[in-house]
């Protein structure tokens, strides 16, 4: 059984991430989405909120599991008996950062490989922080995030403004 892990902050999940999941769910027997607490990023949504948004946005895919994790990705892969790390690539800037991360992971868990998926051209400019900034400033982000994420963003904005 080929098990892949797709790690990321997903704060929040975007249509770009969903596209990667739709494509990779066809390639592997199971894809585990690992929602990571990234200490270097200030999150808008809690880990559980992010997990629920991904679960609901991937209801149409039957081999996706969503979990929260903290710690070393290599340890998580061992725990899940996974041999593939999925990462989306949007540009050469992503590539430089991602290639370094894949080499570190290769040292930490040599039996695992990172598989890079080029973002669909429709989502090449989309990032979670871009979406958050645009939404907070009143922009329409409906083409970038699933409808339930758009709703979640509106609710967060209301809470912030109270
Ligand atoms: N569509 C839209 N956006 C995309 C995308 C796509 N296809 N692919 C990447 N992105 C965006 C994300 O939205 C995110 O945007 P943001 O910075 O505006 O939030 C950005 O690209 C990359 O972030 P993300 O995918 O969340 O990764 P990250 O860099 O925050 O985290 C981890 C990377 C979680 C995989 C890494 O930190 C990790 O493995 N942590 C565990 C600890 C560990 O093992 N460390 C050693 C390994 S080097």
């Amino acid at each position: 059984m080929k098990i892949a892990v797709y790690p990321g902050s997903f704060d929040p999940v975007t249509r770009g991430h969903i596209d990667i999941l739709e494509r990779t769910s066809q390639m592997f027997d199971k894809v585990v989405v690992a929602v990571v607490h990234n200490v270097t990023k200030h999150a808008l949504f809690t880990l559980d909120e992010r997990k629920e948004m991904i679960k609901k946005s991937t209801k149409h895919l039957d081999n996706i599991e969503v979990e929260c994790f903290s710690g070393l990705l290599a340890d998580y892969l061992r725990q899940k008996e996974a041999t593939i790390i999925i990462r989306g690539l949007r540009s050469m800037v992503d590539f430089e950062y991602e290639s370094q991360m894949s080499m570190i992971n290769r040292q930490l868990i040599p039996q695992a490989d990172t598989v890079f998926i080029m973002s669909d051209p429709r989502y090449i400019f989309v990032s979670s922080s871009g979406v958050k900034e645009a939404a907070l400033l009143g922009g329409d982000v409906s083409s970038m995030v699933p409808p339930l994420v758009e709703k979640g963003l509106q609710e967060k904005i209301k809470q912030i403004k109270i």
Side-chain angles (χ1 to χ4, degrees):
M1 187 165 175
K2 269 268 173 255
I3 303 173
V5 169
Y6 183 26
S9 312
F10 303 106
D11 183 42
V13 67
T14 68
R15 287 185 189 265
H17 296 128
I18 303 295
D19 170 63
I20 301 277
L21 281 168
E22 284 169 345
R23 289 155 64 194
T24 52
S25 71
Q26 313 271 317
M27 297 174 192
F28 305 108
D29 298 304
K30 183 160 88 177
V31 178
V32 184
V33 185
V35 186
V36 178
H37 170 64
N38 192 332
V39 282
T40 63
K41 290 182 178 176
H42 175 72
L44 181 65
F45 292 96
T46 65
L47 279 177
D48 278 339
E49 287 170 336
R50 287 182 252 163
K51 178 176 148 185
E52 279 313 301
M53 288 191 288
I54 301 169
K55 267 193 173 172
K56 288 179 182 157
S57 310
T58 54
K59 266 198 316 226
H60 58 299
L61 305 170
D62 58 13
N63 58 345
I64 306 278
E65 228 176 63
V66 191
E67 285 189 354
C68 300
F69 107 101
S70 58
L72 201 61
L73 183 61
D75 290 339
Y76 186 74
L77 286 165
R78 282 191 196 94
Q79 184 199 321
K80 300 308 287 181
E81 296 182 351
T83 52
I84 306 286
I85 301 165
I86 298 168
R87 293 292 288 167
L89 279 187
R90 294 162 300 168
S91 65
M92 286 309 284
V93 181
D94 276 356
F95 177 76
E96 285 195 14
Y97 169 67
E98 294 295 339
S99 57
Q100 192 189 9
M101 204 159 65
S102 77
M103 284 182 248
I104 295 173
N105 282 320
R106 186 105 186 118
Q107 290 294 314
L108 297 173
I109 179 163
Q111 66 271 34
D113 265 306
T114 303
V115 171
F116 295 113
I117 306 290
M118 278 312 296
S119 281
D120 186 281
R122 283 174 297 170
Y123 308 122
I124 222 105
F125 63 92
V126 177
S127 74
S128 298
S129 46
V131 162
K132 281 183 282 192
E133 187 177 335
L136 283 166
L137 296 171
D140 176 1
V141 294
S142 55
S143 62
M144 295 180 251
V145 293
L148 68 98
V149 173
E150 197 189 353
K151 204 165 156 247
L153 280 163
Q154 294 310 330
E155 280 162 16
K156 282 279 171 197
I157 291 166
K158 259 192 235 150
Q159 286 170 18
I160 290 169
K161 287 186 176 163
I162 285 170

